[in-house]
């Protein structure tokens, strides 16, 4: 045991946790400060008056009151985005190509996880499971989703990307779009043939919908849903594991070597194809886990569920600097926060003129602006522009 | 194997093109298919034969003047008459025309200048909403919500402004193409694809959500009714007098409009084809190809890449803008649902299936995909549902067709087909069914080694 512990590089476990804490706190604090300044500036505006007449609070206290909930939501969704973004960024790092089908890999994970939970529910197991049991079953669903997604990602790589590896850049990209579309319909076809409908709802079980109180200030209670806690913990655990795999193991060294230079890596005795498959496996299973977490958080999924989170996670990966693992974390967190803030406050501040439905557009705008003005992303690693 | 098929095809073509053979064949095909379509307006094989006859005018080697005459006769006289007999075919052909123009526009961006564009439907949407807004009551309803709109609001413009708006659509879409193009010049390749995707989604979301501060687009419900240009006095009467005996029933107002829109679409497509041909063969077209192949060398040769790329974006967009205006008027209805990412990829599928950069190929691609979409798949769905209602059995398996799930509806699975087509084409025939000659040469060359993209600093 001691020997085993001795080989574990603790630094590589603590470092990413620290990074994540910094990113969460930093992004959250930055967004909050900007929001509060905005609220101060908006005192006396139409939105302020409207709030005072309808809810009896000024815009500043309204903002402050809802801030904790918005931050928690942003953090939860940020972790989901980060987990998906890692899949994009790993594949980009190794192959320099955008795996558009990753959003459907995510959807497949969500469906497999939810289907397994529905099956367990049908057997009556979930109803009898206690608190611990329900967490265990959710963990099981998470594993099933990860396995399905990872397997599918490897399969997709083998069938649709490997034959095109030396083609011009646009060729695999178009192939990826094709895979993405085909998978959407494959999910829909299987679901509608087996169940007669193509959307699924995750069964309610355990205490996932309960609220945990974090802080009590006078009569005000700041609480967090159990499922948000589960999502955050699961995401943190996986992100740490991934970081460890890439940074501190021999396989991770091989992945990094292949990302740097495939030919030289091959000369050093690394099986490049195997490593690329492994990258897809790891990235895909992270995406699948994110899918199950997403299903837990938003309860309802359909075959096209992957498109929006997929493109947002891609935006996150680009925002952080694509090809960069830490960047994906940062990007996911920032994007989650911005989206959560936009969804919560846009409607109030513009008096209903631009509602929460514009939050998707915010992600697209960020994507466009980042690509145009800072294509290297926030963490600024050199990404060559290719024709 | 592949070579032997090729030589056999060549021998067949030589055999068919002997002496007066092509003339007889072409006219024979046209007469036969016309008779078939006239006789069984519902049969799909006869319609496919009809489409094949139309294409034979192009394939067979004939005198240029005869070809042109036959094509005009076919397009301007035969199709409207048969279309009046069965409006559904006119609709199919209209859609083929619309998508051909769209695919040709995308072909300029993707095929000629090599800029992958996933947001192409945005320009189409802009054209459609341009006429959808000004050609309806919407400008007078800016403060009304979906529920409070009055039915008897006057229209904003006279219906015949439609013709002006086709040109306005061209201009507005081209300007939008320039605006999108300006920042896009800084990025290349896959990043460009993502930016255009995001742009397309933004336009769709705007169409979806701009009903709030001021009601511009009427939100997800879409704008309706949109005016159609006025039918000139007496045309309907004339049509009825001339072709009623042939068609066999009175031509209604709506059918006359279908014919009118078909003819306008035909005009636009012909214009688009001519422009594309001229561009492909011009200095600009060659410069686009040069940029696509190697921007650096093109720059060294004195080509202003930025200007030309912007030009490609603007020209491609303008085709879509014109077609958008036409589409809005012909449907009298626009809604954001028409302009999804699925549709953008559908047009891309047409371009890639037919052959990137090849004009004939792109038109063939548009025809095949449209026919597949709105005819073959739907009739297959119909066939399945008939099987489901019958009590026939698969013999050996002893499986009743009535057990077939009614969710299995091939016409709803376009994505699967687009996706599989894209992947298969990329793997087995990246040049498309009818490759452009130049393109074919390039894509068959293999890069010297796999190291083409290995540059770049430390990743992961």
């Amino acid at each position: 045991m001691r020997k085993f512990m001795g080989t574990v590089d603790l630094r590589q476990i603590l470092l990413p946790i620290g990074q994540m804490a910094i990113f969460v706190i930093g992004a959250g604090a930055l967004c909050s400060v900007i929001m509060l300044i905005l609220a101060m500036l908006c005192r006396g505006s139409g939105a302020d008056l409207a709030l005072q007449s309808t809810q009896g609070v000024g815009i500043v206290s309204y903002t402050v009151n809802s801030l904790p909930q918005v931050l928690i939501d942003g953090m939860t969704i940020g972790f989901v985005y980060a987990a998906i973004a890692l899949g994009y960024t790993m594949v980009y790092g190794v192959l320099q190509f955008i795996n558009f089908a990753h959003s459907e890999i995510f959807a497949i994970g969500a469906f497999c996880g939810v289907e397994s939970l529905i099956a367990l529910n049908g057997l009556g197991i979930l109803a009898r499971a206690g608190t611990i049991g329900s967490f265990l079953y959710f963990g099981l669903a998470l594993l099933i989703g990860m396995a399905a997604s990872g397997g599918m990602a490897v399969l997709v790589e083998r069938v649709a990307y490997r034959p095109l590896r030396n083609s011009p850049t646009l060729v695999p990209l178009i192939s990826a779009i094709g895979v993405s579309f085909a998978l959407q319909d494959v999910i829909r076809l299987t679901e509608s043939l087996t169940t007669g409908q193509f959307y699924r709802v995750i069964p309610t079980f355990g205490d996932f919908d309960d609220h945990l109180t974090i802080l009590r200030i006078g009569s005000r209670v700041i609480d967090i849903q159990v499922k948000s806690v589960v999502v955050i913990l699961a995401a943190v655990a996986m992100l740490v594991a991934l970081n460890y795999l890439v940074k501190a193991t021999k396989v991770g060294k091989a992945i990094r070597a292949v990302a740097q230079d495939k030919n030289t890596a091959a000369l050093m005795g690394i099986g490049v194809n195997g490593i690329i498959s492994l990258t897809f496996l790891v990235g895909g299973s992270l995406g699948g886990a994110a899918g199950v977490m997403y299903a837990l958080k938003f309860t309802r999924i359909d075959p096209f569920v992957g498109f929006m989170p997929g493109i947002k996670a891609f935006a996150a990966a680009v925002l952080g600097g694509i090809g960069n693992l830490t960047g994906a974390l940062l990007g996911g967190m920032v994007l989650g926060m911005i989206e959560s803030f936009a969804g919560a406050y846009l409607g109030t501040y513009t008096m209903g003129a631009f509602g929460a439905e514009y939050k998707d557009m915010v992600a697209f705008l960020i994507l466009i602006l980042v690509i145009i003005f800072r294509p290297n992303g926030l963490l600024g690693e050199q990404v060559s522009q290719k024709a | 194997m592949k070579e032997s098929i090729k030589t056999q095809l060549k021998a067949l073509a030589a055999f068919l093109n002997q002496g007066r053979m092509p003339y007889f064949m072409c006219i024979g095909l046209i007469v036969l298919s016309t008779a078939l379509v006239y006789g069984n307006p519902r049969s799909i094989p006869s319609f496919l034969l009809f489409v094949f006859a139309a294409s034979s005018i192009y394939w067979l080697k004939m005198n240029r003047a005869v070809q042109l005459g036959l094509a005009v006769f076919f397009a301007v006289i035969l199709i409207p008459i048969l279309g009046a007999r069965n409006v559904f075919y006119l609709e199919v052909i209209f859609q083929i025309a619309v998508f051909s123009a769209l695919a040709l526009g995308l072909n300029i961006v993707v095929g000629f200048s090599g800029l992958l564009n996933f947001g192409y439907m945005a320009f189409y949407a802009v054209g459609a909403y341009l006429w959808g807004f000004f050609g309806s009551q919407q400008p007078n309803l800016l403060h009304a919500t979906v529920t409070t709109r009055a039915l008897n609001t006057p229209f904003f413009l006279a219906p015949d402004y439609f013709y002006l708006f086709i040109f306005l659509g061209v201009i507005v879409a081209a300007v939008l193409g320039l605006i999108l193009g300006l920042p896009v010049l800084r990025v290349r390749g896959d990043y460009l694809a993502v930016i255009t995707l995001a742009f397309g989604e933004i336009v769709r979301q705007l169409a979806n959500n701009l009903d709030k501060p001021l009601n511009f687009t009427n939100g997800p419900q879409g704008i309706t009714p949109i005016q159609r240009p006025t039918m000139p006095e007496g045309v309907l009467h004339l049509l009825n007098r001339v072709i009623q005996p042939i068609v066999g029933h009175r031509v209604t107002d709506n059918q006359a409009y279908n014919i009118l829109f078909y003819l306008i679409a035909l005009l636009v497509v012909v214009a688009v084809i001519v422009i594309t041909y001229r561009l492909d063969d011009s200095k600009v077209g060659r410069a686009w190809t040069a940029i696509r192949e190697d921007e650096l060398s093109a720059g060294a040769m004195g080509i202003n890449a930025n200007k030309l790329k912007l030009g490609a974006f603007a020209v491609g967009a303008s085709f879509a803008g014109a077609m958008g205006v036409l589409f809005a008027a012909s449907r009298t209805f626009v809604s954001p649902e028409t302009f999804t990412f699925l549709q953008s990829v559908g047009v891309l599928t047409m371009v890639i299936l037919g052959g990137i950069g090849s004009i004939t190929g792109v038109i063939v691609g548009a025809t095949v995909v449209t026919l597949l979409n709105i005819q073959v798949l739907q009739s297959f769905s119909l066939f399945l549902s008939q099987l489901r209602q019958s009590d026939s059995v698969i013999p050996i398996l002893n499986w009743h067709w009535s057990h077939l799930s009614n969710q299995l509806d091939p016409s709803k699975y376009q994505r699967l087909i687009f996706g599989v087509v894209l992947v298969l084409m990329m793997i087995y025939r990246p040049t498309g069914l009818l490759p452009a000659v130049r393109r074919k040469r390039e894509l068959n060359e293999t890069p010297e080694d796999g190291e083409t993209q290995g540059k770049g600093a430390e990743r992961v």
Side-chain angles (χ1 to χ4, degrees):
Chain A
M1 189 66 198
R2 169 174 250 150
K3 193 169 179 222
F4 175 73
M5 287 304 287
T7 58
V8 172
D9 189 348
L10 266 180
R11 225 171 64 91
Q12 288 298 349
I13 294 179
L14 294 178
L15 190 72
I17 293 183
Q19 276 175 343
M20 276 187 255
I22 293 171
F23 292 159
V24 169
I25 294 168
L30 191 69
C31 286
S32 312
V33 168
I34 293 175
M35 210 59 229
L36 286 176
I37 294 174
L38 256 180
M40 297 289 186
L41 290 178
C42 283
R43 268 184 306 182
S45 71
D48 192 12
L49 300 178
L51 269 180
Q52 273 171 355
S53 65
T54 52
Q55 303 187 13
V57 287
I59 197 154
V60 178
S61 55
Y62 172 83
T63 309
V64 172
N65 284 345
S66 48
L67 209 52
Q69 197 53 50
V70 176
L71 282 173
I72 287 170
D73 278 349
M75 187 161 85
T76 317
I77 195 71
F79 272 115
V80 174
Y81 288 160
I84 311 171
L86 281 171
Y88 281 107
T89 231
M90 285 187 74
V91 168
Y92 197 93
V94 171
L95 288 179
Q96 283 85 54
F97 125 89
I98 302 169
N99 181 11
F100 258 105
H102 193 60
S103 51
E104 275 56 51
I105 302 290
F106 163 87
I108 284 176
F111 267 94
C112 289
V114 171
E115 282 295 345
S116 57
L117 282 179
I118 288 174
L120 286 177
N121 198 29
L123 295 175
I125 296 175
L126 286 189
R128 273 182 269 124
T131 312
I132 306 289
S134 62
F135 287 125
L136 285 180
Y137 286 125
F138 178 72
L140 181 69
L142 210 58
L143 285 180
I144 291 174
M146 285 172 80
S149 288
M152 187 49 100
V154 171
L155 185 71
V156 165
E157 193 272 335
R158 182 69 196 84
V159 173
Y161 302 154
R162 193 175 295 181
L164 305 172
R165 199 166 294 158
N166 290 332
S167 320
T169 346
L170 295 189
V171 170
L173 189 63
I174 293 169
S175 177
I177 283 279
V179 171
S180 150
F181 269 61
L183 282 184
Q184 283 179 5
D185 258 1
V186 167
I187 300 175
R188 186 157 74 118
L189 192 63
T190 3
E191 279 299 322
S192 54
L193 282 186
T194 50
T195 65
Q197 65 201 22
F198 58 77
Y199 63 89
R200 299 304 263 167
V201 177
I202 196 166
T204 40
F205 65 104
D207 319 320
F208 287 115
D209 287 321
D210 292 355
H211 291 261
L212 293 179
T213 307
I214 306 177
L215 207 59
R216 199 183 287 276
I217 310 168
S219 62
R220 280 184 33 73
V221 178
I222 298 172
D223 55 9
I224 181 169
Q225 262 190 316
V226 174
K227 55 183 170 190
S228 297
V229 179
V230 171
V231 167
I232 292 171
L233 287 182
V236 169
M238 276 184 314
L239 298 183
V240 170
L242 174 78
N243 189 71
Y244 193 82
L245 175 79
V246 173
K247 297 265 170 72
T249 62
K250 209 167 178 185
V251 173
K253 205 180 239 176
I255 293 180
R256 281 178 291 154
V258 170
Q260 260 184 34
D261 188 335
K262 283 197 249 327
N263 287 351
T264 315
L267 288 176
M268 299 296 141
I270 296 170
V272 172
N273 279 338
I275 290 298
I276 289 175
S277 290
L278 180 78
T279 313
F280 273 86
L281 179 73
V282 174
S285 36
L286 268 180
V292 183
M293 293 191 273
Y294 186 90
L296 181 71
K297 176 101 176 88
F298 295 98
T299 60
R300 196 189 129 123
I301 51 171
D302 63 57
F304 314 115
V305 73
F307 180 67
M308 275 296 160
I311 194 104
K312 282 176 190 164
F314 179 73
V318 173
L319 180 64
I322 197 158
N324 182 325
L325 293 188
T326 323
L329 275 178
L330 175 63
M333 211 48 69
V334 171
L335 203 78
M337 285 294 175
I338 292 177
E339 190 187 307
S340 172
F341 273 82
Y345 294 124
L346 210 54
T348 327
Y349 274 65
T350 57
M351 293 196 290
F354 301 98
E357 61 270 16
Y358 280 88
K359 70 176 184 190
D360 290 345
M361 216 139 64
V362 172
F364 290 129
L365 276 179
I366 291 175
L367 179 62
I368 292 183
L369 293 179
V370 170
I371 289 184
I372 291 171
F373 294 109
R374 198 173 161 80
N376 299 341
L378 290 177
L379 293 192
E381 227 169 305
Q382 176 62 43
V383 175
S384 58
Q385 290 198 349
K386 300 176 294 10
Chain B
M1 176 68 185
K2 217 171 172 182
E3 282 308 304
S4 79
I5 292 176
K6 228 178 219 170
T7 48
Q8 278 175 7
L9 274 179
K10 265 189 189 146
L12 183 69
F15 173 71
L16 288 179
N17 281 329
Q18 283 167 340
R20 295 190 181 280
M21 189 92 129
Y23 295 90
F24 292 125
M25 270 212 355
C26 182
I27 293 172
L29 261 178
I30 291 176
V31 170
L32 177 72
S33 64
T34 309
L36 278 176
V37 174
Y38 190 83
N40 333 298
R42 285 177 183 283
S43 133
I44 286 168
S46 59
F47 182 71
L48 291 180
L49 188 70
F50 187 71
V51 174
F52 179 70
S55 67
S56 76
I57 301 176
Y58 178 82
W59 303 122
L60 292 170
K61 219 179 237 159
M62 289 185 288
N63 190 336
R64 205 59 192 272
V66 177
Q67 270 184 329
L68 209 64
L70 274 177
V72 169
F73 169 75
F74 200 90
V76 180
I77 298 178
L78 264 188
I79 290 179
I81 290 178
L82 289 177
R85 189 166 161 78
N86 182 350
V87 180
F88 182 64
Y89 287 143
L90 204 56
E91 169 62 25
V92 174
I93 292 172
F94 175 74
Q95 294 239 2
I96 291 177
V98 169
F99 281 114
S100 296
L102 289 176
L104 282 169
L106 187 61
N107 182 40
I108 288 187
V109 186
V110 179
F112 290 175
S113 43
L115 309 162
L116 193 52
N117 187 343
F118 281 142
Y120 191 64
M121 275 289 154
F123 304 118
Y124 186 53
V126 165
Y129 269 98
L130 187 71
W131 179 242
F133 181 70
F134 287 106
S136 69
Q137 302 140 325
Q138 205 61 33
N140 294 329
L141 289 170
L142 277 181
H143 295 284
T145 61
V146 178
T147 45
T148 62
R149 47 191 305 145
L151 283 175
N152 51 358
T153 322
F155 282 94
F156 185 66
L157 288 175
D160 280 338
Y161 274 101
F162 165 73
Y163 298 105
L164 173 69
F165 268 77
I166 292 189
F167 295 99
L168 275 184
V170 169
I171 295 167
V172 171
V175 169
L176 202 73
L178 287 180
I179 294 174
L180 171 67
L182 272 177
V184 154
L185 291 176
R186 296 175 54 119
V187 294
R188 292 180 210 165
D190 35 13
Y191 269 21
L192 176 66
V194 174
I195 283 204
T196 52
L197 197 170
F199 174 74
E201 278 301 306
I202 286 179
V203 168
R204 191 176 66 85
Q205 300 243 352
L206 277 178
N208 219 345
N209 293 327
L210 265 186
D211 55 344
K212 249 200 247 130
L214 280 178
N215 192 354
F216 285 107
T217 65
N218 207 21
Q221 276 83 9
I223 301 175
T224 190
I226 298 166
Q227 299 181 92
R228 302 183 286 197
T230 47
M231 188 66 80
E233 200 71 25
V235 165
L236 199 60
H237 194 68
L238 193 75
L239 258 182
N240 267 321
R241 179 172 301 167
V242 180
I243 66 174
Q244 189 182 355
I246 317 177
V247 173
H249 57 83
R250 269 193 68 79
V251 181
T252 62
D253 197 31
N254 268 334
Q255 288 170 348
Y257 265 116
N258 281 334
I259 296 176
L260 176 73
F261 281 120
Y262 158 70
L263 289 176
I264 301 174
L266 190 69
L267 264 181
V268 177
V269 169
V270 169
V272 164
I273 291 175
V274 170
I275 293 172
T276 315
Y277 257 115
R278 301 296 298 157
L279 278 177
D280 191 20
D281 243 359
S282 70
K283 213 170 136 187
V284 178
R286 281 160 209 278
W288 277 337
T289 315
I291 293 171
R292 183 185 72 203
E293 291 320 310
D294 189 337
E295 200 174 323
L296 215 60
S297 325
M301 292 291 136
I303 293 170
N304 185 344
N306 281 359
K307 218 161 100 185
L308 281 159
K309 277 200 215 164
L310 278 181
F313 256 98
V315 174
S318 61
F319 294 171
M323 270 305 167
V325 173
L326 189 62
F327 175 83
S330 77
R331 290 295 122 96
T332 70
F333 168 67
V334 285
S335 83
E337 279 309 296
T338 321
F339 312 107
T340 52
F341 183 47
L342 170 70
Q343 296 296 331
S344 290
V345 172
V347 177
L348 186 72
T349 312
M350 294 169 190
V351 174
I352 284 165
L353 180 70
I356 306 176
S358 135
I359 295 169
T360 329
V362 167
I363 294 174
V364 170
T367 312
V368 169
V369 173
T370 314
L371 280 178
L372 199 67
N373 248 347
I374 61 180
Q375 217 176 0
V376 178
L377 284 183
Q378 289 203 348
S379 57
F380 191 49
S381 295
L382 207 68
F383 173 70
L384 279 184
S385 76
Q386 276 167 359
L387 269 184
R388 213 171 282 137
Q389 277 151 21
S390 67
D391 17 286
S392 46
V393 178
I394 297 181
I396 299 163
L397 299 175
N398 197 18
W399 194 71
H400 291 266
W401 277 108
S402 49
H403 292 172
L404 194 65
S405 161
N406 54 3
Q407 297 286 333
L408 191 68
D409 183 356
S411 66
K412 285 189 190 149
Y413 289 93
Q414 297 171 358
R415 287 163 193 266
L416 187 62
I417 289 162
F418 288 170
V420 170
V421 165
L422 283 179
V423 175
L424 290 182
M425 291 305 288
M426 283 301 111
I427 294 178
Y428 293 109
R429 212 174 153 86
T431 49
L433 292 178
L434 298 168
V437 184
R438 247 183 274 165
R439 186 85 181 176
K440 194 173 168 186
R441 246 180 279 134
E442 297 144 16
L443 280 183
N444 279 344
E445 276 168 22
T446 42
E448 295 92 285
D449 58 2
E451 217 269 315
T452 46
Q453 341 181 304
K455 53 197 173 225
E458 189 177 314
R459 290 206 182 81
V460 170

